[in-house]
Amino acid sequence: MEEIDLKELLQMFWSKKVQIIVVVAIFAIIGGVYSLMFVTPKYQASTTLLLATNSSSNNANGDSSITTTDVTLNSKLVSTYSKLVKSDKVIRNVISNLSLNMDEDVLKNSVSVTATEDTEFIEISVKNEDPVLATKIANEMSKVFIENVKEFYKVENVHVVDAAEVPQSPYNVNHIKDVIIFAFVGAVIAVLYVLVSNMLDTTIKSEDDIEKIFKQTVLATMPLYENNDNKKRRRNNK
């Protein structure tokens, strides 16, 4: 393969700068149009829960303080509770309570449960195209979940720390980021196009090309010349 030094490479890209700029600009415009017209905004509302012993539950000594055993038990229950949040029973109760016209699987897929590592915090997040509906579902889901914990475990060790609030901006829309990504893709394609077109171009453009191809020294060159008188005669004949 023919070797190209850095200077020739830069000259090659500089000679194609207009084409490269046009390609990058086209892709950037495509990215902006895609972000504005084809990306459906979705909103995410989250509520945070804490596993903690109820203050009304006293231990054997009548003390209401939290013991190490309580903390250890709560830590073990975090993973179990995380599964319970997305159980069919909870999902169905939420749909029924809010009178949602939504399939169970659709709602389940829109819910994500995150248990913060080495803590007793659980975050319930709901994604939806309607920010108000996402907030209602998140808060109702935490409410139904707490009721189910009381029913199954006969304890009140789950408490709402931060209720979900209506999100003001979508989580999946970032116009600047989309434009930059598309522009970068356009730049890569433009660079590849220049490299490939240069590799496939076998025409001789200068005496340096002759020396490289034929391994011979060029002694002289003849510049292209066109007689101006001939140009004038052709114009007059027309």
Side-chain angles (χ1 to χ4, degrees):
M1 182 182 293
E2 183 182 355
E3 294 184 358
I4 303 177
D5 60 26
L6 182 59
K7 183 178 180 180
E8 290 179 345
L9 191 64
L10 293 175
Q11 290 176 346
M12 178 179 63
F13 285 124
W14 181 253
S15 64
K16 301 289 185 180
K17 60 182 181 298
V18 176
Q19 292 92 323
I20 294 175
I21 293 174
V22 170
V23 172
V24 173
I26 291 174
F27 271 81
I29 294 173
I30 293 174
V33 172
Y34 168 79
S35 181
L36 290 170
M37 305 295 293
F38 296 97
V39 178
T40 302
K42 290 186 177 181
Y43 299 84
Q44 178 173 288
S46 302
T47 179
T48 305
L49 307 178
L50 173 66
L51 276 66
T53 302
N54 194 335
S55 59
S56 63
S57 302
N58 297 334
N59 56 26
N61 298 325
D63 187 7
S64 61
S65 61
I66 299 175
T67 65
T68 304
T69 304
D70 294 328
V71 175
T72 303
L73 178 61
N74 288 336
S75 299
K76 292 181 179 179
L77 287 174
V78 167
S79 58
T80 303
Y81 283 179
S82 298
K83 295 291 185 181
L84 180 60
V85 173
K86 298 183 68 173
S87 65
D88 292 338
K89 187 174 188 297
V90 173
I91 295 294
R92 288 168 186 165
N93 287 341
V94 171
I95 292 176
S96 176
N97 294 347
L98 296 178
S99 300
L100 298 176
N101 184 20
M102 186 182 299
D103 187 74
E104 292 180 13
D105 291 334
V106 174
L107 178 56
K108 186 179 294 186
N109 292 332
S110 68
V111 177
S112 60
V113 183
T114 306
T116 307
E117 188 177 357
D118 297 328
T119 69
E120 287 77 52
F121 283 99
I122 297 176
E123 184 179 72
I124 301 175
S125 300
V126 179
K127 299 176 181 178
N128 196 277
E129 296 177 10
D130 185 347
V132 176
L133 182 58
T135 304
K136 290 181 178 179
I137 294 174
N139 287 327
E140 184 65 24
M141 184 157 287
S142 63
K143 177 183 175 182
V144 173
F145 166 66
I146 292 173
E147 291 174 353
N148 277 264
V149 170
K150 294 178 183 178
E151 178 184 348
F152 293 138
Y153 289 92
K154 309 301 180 184
V155 293
E156 298 182 10
N157 65 339
V158 182
H159 308 277
V160 177
V161 177
D162 295 316
E165 298 180 354
V166 179
Q168 301 301 316
S169 59
Y171 75 91
N172 66 326
V173 176
N174 190 328
H175 301 309
I176 297 177
K177 180 180 178 181
D178 291 338
V179 170
I180 292 175
I181 292 175
F182 273 79
F184 177 77
V185 173
V188 172
I189 293 176
V191 169
L192 291 176
Y193 164 74
V194 172
L195 291 175
V196 172
S197 62
N198 182 77
M199 292 174 59
L200 297 178
D201 187 4
T202 58
T203 59
I204 297 175
K205 302 180 181 63
S206 64
E207 58 271 20
D208 293 334
D209 294 338
I210 297 176
E211 293 179 353
K212 288 182 179 179
I213 296 173
F214 298 102
K215 308 299 182 183
Q216 299 292 332
T217 303
V218 177
L219 299 178
T221 60
M222 181 178 294
L224 292 175
Y225 176 76
E226 187 173 358
N227 195 328
N228 292 332
D229 294 336
N230 292 334
K231 286 184 180 180
K232 293 180 180 178
R233 289 170 187 171
R234 285 197 297 267
R235 291 174 183 172
N236 294 333
N237 292 334
K238 293 180 181 179

